[in-house]
DNA sequence: CTGTTAGCGCTTTCAA
DNA sequence: TTGAAAGCGCTAACAG
């Protein structure tokens, strides 16, 4: 019923080897022959069986994308970008969502990507050494998104510097007591931002001659609700902070909500700055640090595909790319905009 | 380097056929033999090549999931749920994101799923007849999510009734002038909700003896920003509505924002109700209609897998499942809660 | 219960 | 520039 390469060969009056060559655009096929093959294939509505091709060639034309969540803005953006880049290159996307701690353990234990991908993309996961090893054992190029490691392709932002720029900005507005709403750095599902953004926060305080205060660092778990609860705790402190830095816009939304609920004004009573610059943030007039998510995803995907295409077993000279972030100052952190 | 079925056979002292049977859990394998095979496979860290298996068996153990967007709550939830259900069943997920009109056209033209999936899941797309045909030509079971069509497996909610329940609720609160913030029913990337939810809105008005007013129906494009702009237009009407029904929570968020911006109170001056019950909505104290997204996704995925497993070429007797929705009344639509 | 063998539908030498 | 033929690593009869 569905045409196979033999049907095409018969119809075009050539061998199956020639059909294969012609359809894949290989050189050394006479133009006239190629035309006949193309026509025959079109007539029969033929597409090659990917599995037969993969078995014969050893190439899978498939990339595995591993994410810890799909339901967060950053990761949804990554999935969307990677999917379209792969599709454009004729690659399939195999999506692996870790979900929870158990799912993560199972994933690295079973390694369901074995024998089915030409390359792997890992989005913003803090990986342990054993997990890096498991990845390495795949003997396939691996691209890291949002983190960096020697010996791997990667695209990321400088989370430390970006966070620091946010807090520097608050300091420049005269704030001396600045709260942090962050992620759990001990979370087994840990992804990379919480560690680095907290470091950037602490760096900025130190540089401003401000002492760190554990009370000022509250967990918001990267959710709106968590951000709101963290803000509630911060606003309840005896010596209330006058500014809050949230490690994600979503947590900042929760903070904005809580501040309003408490009858306080933004930014007069409490200034707020987030991280990401999701589309919603402009609407919320939220100051934030913009990170180029699609750019990072596209960058590492493109380089991974190049590596795969070249069948290179060596990394390029500059495997680690760091993309710039941008401080976006809006009404939540300054009264009169510059 | 990586073990093949022959290596396992040799190590276990059996034929490759026996290895194949033992590892797949087929009957008629002696327990002792099975054990030896399992041990040998484990020792060699063997996994079968999926491509060889697929080529030989004709089964792909892969399901294609087609979504119009990944970056919206509903679809992210769907992807996440489907992915884990498939993984659990040992299936791979091939994700297809249509993205835009061009991507959609290309998709149905090229049909990149051909020869690579055992079944297809379509999420909330309004499909044209030609597109249904293209799907049918795959000769694979198709599950619809969020819509229904004769001859297809489906899981959905009753969007008309659900929307109507929301508007009925507003009517019951005494509202007589109720605005609609909806999606574009003429959008070529149309997904199903806009049509049905608008119908439910109109039904409710009619049932209440209220006349439809085109001015009261504004497009919010299913985004927060679009919702805000639609609300701005509605609040600017000479005869301002006292209540708004948004076809999604996200548009409702935009409306809430605009109402506040206009210095009006919710719900005293303008009541608001959304649709979906995203997690954020509870935090926003937004009344809404809860729809069970994960349940719908799980339901249709499970039934699709059954259909695939049974190699059934007939649909079950009740292919179309409709899941219940629930009116969730919060502070945005009533002053004192019941 | 187990082994033998013929494919599955391609890609890739190797010859011509 | 083209064709013949040998696999790729499995599954699925079929025999025993």
């Amino acid at each position: 019923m569905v045409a196979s390469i033999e049907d095409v060969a018969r119809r075009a009056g050539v061998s199956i080897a020639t059909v294969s060559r012609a359809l894949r655009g290989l050189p050394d096929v006479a133009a006239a022959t190629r035309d006949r093959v193309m026509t025959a294939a079109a007539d029969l509505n033929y597409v090659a069986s990917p599995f037969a091709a993969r078995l014969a060639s050893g190439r899978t034309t498939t990339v595995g994308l591993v994410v810890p969540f799909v339901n967060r803005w950053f990761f949804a953006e990554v999935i969307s970008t990677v999917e379209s880049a792969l599709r454009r290159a004729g690659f399939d996307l195999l999506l692996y969502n870790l979900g929870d701690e158990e799912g993560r353990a199972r994933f690295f234990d079973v390694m369901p990507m074995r024998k089915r991908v030409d390359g792997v993309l890992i989005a913003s996961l803090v990986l342990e050494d054993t997990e890096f090893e498991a990845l390495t054992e795949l003997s396939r190029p691996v691209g890291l998104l949002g983190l960096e490691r020697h010996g791997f392709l990667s695209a990321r932002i400088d989370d430390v510097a970006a966070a620091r720029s946010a807090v520097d900005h608050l300091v420049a507005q005269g704030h001396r007591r600045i709260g942090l709403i962050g992620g759990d750095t001990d979370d087994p599902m840990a992804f990379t931002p919480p560690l680095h953004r907290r470091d950037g926060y602490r760096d900025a305080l130190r540089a401003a001659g401000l002492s760190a205060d554990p009370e000022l660092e509250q967990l918001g778990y990267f959710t709106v609700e968590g951000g709101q609860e963290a803000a509630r705790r911060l606003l309840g402190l005896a010596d209330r902070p006058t500014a809050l830095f949230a490690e994600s816009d979503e947590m900042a939304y929760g903070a904005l909500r809580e501040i309003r609920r408490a009858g306080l004004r933004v930014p007069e009573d409490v200034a707020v700055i987030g991280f990401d610059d999701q589309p919603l943030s402009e609407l919320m007039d939220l100051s934030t640090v913009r990170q180029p998510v699609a750019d990072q995803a596209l960058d590492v995907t493109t380089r991974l595909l190049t590596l795969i295409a070249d069948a290179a077993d060596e990394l390029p000279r500059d495997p680690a790319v760091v993309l710039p972030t941008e401080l976006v100052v809006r009404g939540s952190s300054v009264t009169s905009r510059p």
Side-chain angles (χ1 to χ4, degrees), chain A:
Chain A
M1 20 175 286
V2 275
S4 81
I5 197 170
E6 291 211 61
D7 301 318
V8 179
R10 205 170 308 126
R11 183 174 244 265
V14 297
S15 72
I16 62 168
T18 299
V19 172
S20 177
R21 291 187 194 106
L23 257 24
R24 283 182 297 148
L26 296 189
D28 297 332
V29 176
T33 309
R34 188 183 304 277
D35 283 351
R36 255 183 313 133
V37 171
M38 304 278 264
T39 306
D43 289 349
L44 296 172
N45 198 17
Y46 169 79
V47 281
S49 157
F51 306 124
R54 288 165 191 184
L55 182 57
S57 71
R59 279 173 256 108
T60 70
T61 54
T62 301
V63 163
L65 172 61
V66 185
V67 297
F69 320 96
V70 354
N71 229 326
R72 292 190 189 171
W73 176 76
F74 177 90
F75 295 102
E77 201 75 9
V78 165
I79 293 169
S80 178
T81 306
V82 170
E83 194 271 351
S84 83
L86 291 180
R87 194 70 62 210
R88 218 175 307 129
F91 272 64
D92 278 339
L93 166 65
L94 233 32
L95 181 67
Y96 295 90
N97 180 26
L98 266 25
D100 56 17
E101 199 180 344
E102 188 200 324
R104 177 186 186 138
R106 204 176 334 117
F107 179 82
F108 283 102
D109 190 40
V110 175
M111 264 293 150
M113 291 190 293
R114 285 196 287 166
K115 294 191 181 173
R116 58 189 74 200
V117 298
D118 287 339
V120 177
L121 249 19
I122 305 279
S124 279
L125 273 176
V126 177
L127 296 175
E128 297 176 17
D129 287 349
T130 58
E131 295 174 333
F132 273 116
E133 276 167 34
L135 247 25
T136 305
E137 278 171 12
L138 283 173
S139 309
R140 297 278 177 278
V142 175
L144 306 177
L145 190 47
L147 66 161
E148 182 177 323
R149 167 129 170 167
H150 182 73
F152 289 87
L153 219 53
S154 66
R156 63 174 180 100
I157 56 170
D158 184 338
D159 272 298
V160 179
R164 170 147 182 194
S165 75
V167 180
D168 280 348
H169 163 68
L170 295 175
V171 168
Q173 303 299 307
H175 295 286
R176 288 292 167 267
R177 204 154 159 77
I178 301 171
L180 173 73
I181 302 180
D184 187 351
T185 54
D186 294 325
D187 185 345
M189 280 302 287
F191 52 138
T192 46
L195 266 62
H196 301 138
R197 294 182 193 167
R198 186 194 57 190
D199 287 349
Y201 161 83
R202 290 180 179 172
D203 286 356
L205 291 193
R206 199 175 309 121
L210 301 171
S211 59
D213 179 350
E215 271 191 340
L216 285 177
E217 299 185 4
Q218 294 290 336
L219 294 182
Y221 303 99
F222 275 74
T223 65
V224 175
E225 188 160 19
Q228 175 157 13
E229 279 160 13
R232 183 174 306 136
R233 290 191 295 275
L234 287 163
L235 298 180
L237 292 178
D239 188 4
R240 197 180 73 201
T242 62
L244 302 179
F245 166 50
E247 290 176 5
S248 77
D249 283 355
E250 290 190 280
M251 294 192 287
Y253 302 155
L256 288 177
R257 210 183 139 64
E258 183 59 26
I259 294 168
R260 214 163 36 225
R261 244 180 66 126
L264 298 171
R265 293 161 306 161
V266 174
E268 292 83 354
D269 300 314
V270 185
V272 177
I273 187 163
F275 200 114
D276 276 344
D277 199 25
Q278 296 193 205
L280 190 48
S281 298
E282 182 172 5
L283 215 66
M284 307 276 267
D285 206 22
L286 175 70
S287 294
T288 189
V289 181
R290 175 180 305 154
Q291 68 160 319
V293 181
D295 289 351
Q296 292 174 75
L298 196 56
D299 181 281
V300 71
T301 304
T302 306
R303 288 184 293 126
L304 183 74
L305 288 174
T306 304
L307 216 55
I308 291 170
D310 297 350
D313 38 20
E314 276 179 36
L315 284 183
R317 43 257 115 250
D318 296 309
V321 166
V322 178
L323 265 45
T325 57
E326 182 190 351
L327 181 68
V328 178
V329 176
R330 299 201 179 101
S332 70
S333 66
V334 294
T335 318
S336 62
R337 306 217 202 157

